[in-house]
C-alpha cells in the first residue's frame, strides 16, 4: 500500500499544481459547439494552435528518449489530417515554451496526455460525417503508463516543481488559443 501511495505523489502534485489552469481551459473549450461543423472546426483549429507547437517543443527537447513509447503517443499528424479533410489551413501556432530536461518534458507530456481522458465524450458530440482522427486516437494504457513514468522519474520535490512549471507553461498555450476561439465565437454572434 505504501508503494502505491508513494507512486501517486508526482501525479497528485502535478494535478494540484495545475488545477487552476485546468479549470480555465476546461471552461474555454467546453464552450465549443462540437455539434456544428463551424464549431468543431474552431475547436480543432484552437486545439492545433496549441497542440502542434507543444508537441514540437517536446520533440525538440528529446521526449523520445524519456518516453520510449513516444511514437505511439504523438498526435499532431492526426489533427493535421482532420484539418486537411475539413479544408482548413494548419494554424501558424503559438510560441511554444522551451522544454528541456526530464522534469520539464514530463510536465509537458502530462498536459498533452490529459485531454485523451475526455476525448471519447467530446467525439460523440461531433456529427458522424466529420473527420475525428484526433479525438478518436486510441492508445490503450496511455494514461496509466504516463502516471507510472511520472512517479518513477520525478523523485524529488525540486524535479516535481520543475515539471509543474513546465506543465503550467503548456496549459498557458491552450488557454491563449481557447481565448481566441471564444472571442471569435462571441464576435460572430454579435
Ligand atoms: C472540453 C474541455 C475539457 C474537459 C471537459 C475536461 C475534462 C476533464 C476531466 C473530466 C478529467 C478527469 C478525467 C479522469 O480522471 O478520468 C480531466 C483530466 C485532465 N485534463 Fe481535462 N478537460 C478539458 C480540457 C482539457 C485541456 C484542453 C487540457 C490540456 C491541454 C486538459 C488536461 C487535462 C489533464 C492534464 C488531466 C489530468 C488531471 C489529473 O492528473 O487527474 N483538459 N479533464
Amino acid at each position: 500500500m505504501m508503494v502505491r501511495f508513494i507512486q501517486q505523489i508526482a501525479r497528485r502534485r502535478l494535478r494540484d499544481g495545475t488545477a487552476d489552469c485546468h479549470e480555465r481551459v476546461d471552461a474555454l473549450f467546453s464552450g465549443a459547439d462540437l455539434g456544428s461543423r463551424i464549431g468543431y472546426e474552431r475547436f480543432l483549429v484552437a486545439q492545433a494552435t496549441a497542440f502542434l507547437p507543444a508537441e514540437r517543443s517536446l520533440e525538440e527537447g528529446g521526449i523520445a528518449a524519456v518516453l520510449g513509447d513516444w511514437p505511439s503517443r504523438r498526435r499532431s499528424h492526426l489533427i493535421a489530417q482532420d484539418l486537411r479533410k475539413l479544408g482548413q489551413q494548419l494554424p501558424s501556432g503559438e510560441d511554444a515554451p522551451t522544454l528541456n530536461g526530464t522534469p520539464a518534458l514530463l510536465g509537458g507530456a502530462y498536459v498533452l496526455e490529459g485531454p485523451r481522458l475526455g476525448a471519447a465524450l467530446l467525439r460523440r458530440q461531433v456529427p458522424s460525417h466529420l473527420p475525428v482522427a484526433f479525438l478518436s486516437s486510441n492508445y490503450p494504457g496511455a494514461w496509466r503508463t504516463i502516471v507510472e513514468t511520472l512517479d518513477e522519474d520525478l523523485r524529488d520535490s525540486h524535479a516535481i516543481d520543475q515539471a509543474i512549471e513546465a506543465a503550467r507553461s503548456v496549459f498557458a498555450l491552450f488557454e491563449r488559443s481557447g481565448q481566441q476561439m471564444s472571442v471569435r465565437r462571441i464576435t460572430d454572434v454579435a
Side-chain angles (χ1 to χ4, degrees):
M1 281 316 279
M2 190 61 183
V3 173
R4 282 201 73 72
F5 176 70
I6 290 169
Q7 282 178 346
Q8 287 296 312
I9 287 180
R11 183 278 183 105
R12 278 166 199 245
R13 282 210 38 215
L14 266 161
R15 185 184 54 204
D16 295 349
T18 58
D20 59 323
C21 304
H22 187 267
E23 208 171 299
R24 290 191 295 271
V25 296
D26 179 350
L28 286 163
F29 282 99
S30 296
D33 172 16
L34 299 181
S36 75
R37 179 179 176 125
I38 190 159
Y40 176 56
E41 283 175 355
R42 286 202 186 116
F43 168 85
L44 262 194
V45 168
Q47 284 284 321
T49 301
F51 195 96
L52 302 184
E55 208 173 72
R56 205 176 317 123
S57 287
L58 285 174
E59 295 193 327
E60 286 169 4
I63 189 69
V66 178
L67 292 172
D69 58 355
W70 173 250
S72 307
R73 294 185 184 271
R74 56 193 309 283
R75 281 172 287 156
S76 286
H77 59 294
L78 299 177
I79 304 197
Q81 181 185 313
D82 288 339
L83 287 174
R84 212 170 26 246
K85 286 190 179 161
L86 289 163
Q88 293 287 323
Q89 305 267 349
L90 279 189
S92 55
E94 290 275 343
D95 287 337
T98 303
L99 301 171
N100 279 326
T102 296
L105 290 165
L106 285 177
Y110 163 80
V111 180
L112 295 195
E113 285 297 337
R116 253 193 235 275
L117 297 169
L121 280 177
L122 298 180
R123 191 189 63 223
R124 271 181 235 144
Q125 298 171 37
V126 180
S128 57
H129 63 285
L130 298 180
V132 285
F134 176 62
L135 290 180
S136 306
S137 149
N138 185 17
Y139 176 36
W143 182 248
R144 181 180 50 77
T145 50
I146 194 154
V147 168
E148 282 168 9
T149 308
L150 294 174
D151 293 320
E152 276 159 23
D153 288 3
L154 304 175
R155 286 179 173 270
D156 61 68
S157 202
H158 180 60
I160 298 176
D161 284 343
Q162 287 177 310
I164 293 172
E165 192 187 328
R168 293 185 68 88
S169 70
V170 173
F171 262 119
L173 284 181
F174 283 87
E175 205 177 322
R176 286 199 294 275
S177 67
Q179 276 161 352
Q180 286 164 15
M181 178 182 74
S182 356
V183 168
R184 262 180 236 125
R185 197 159 38 89
I186 290 160
T187 321
D188 287 354
V189 171

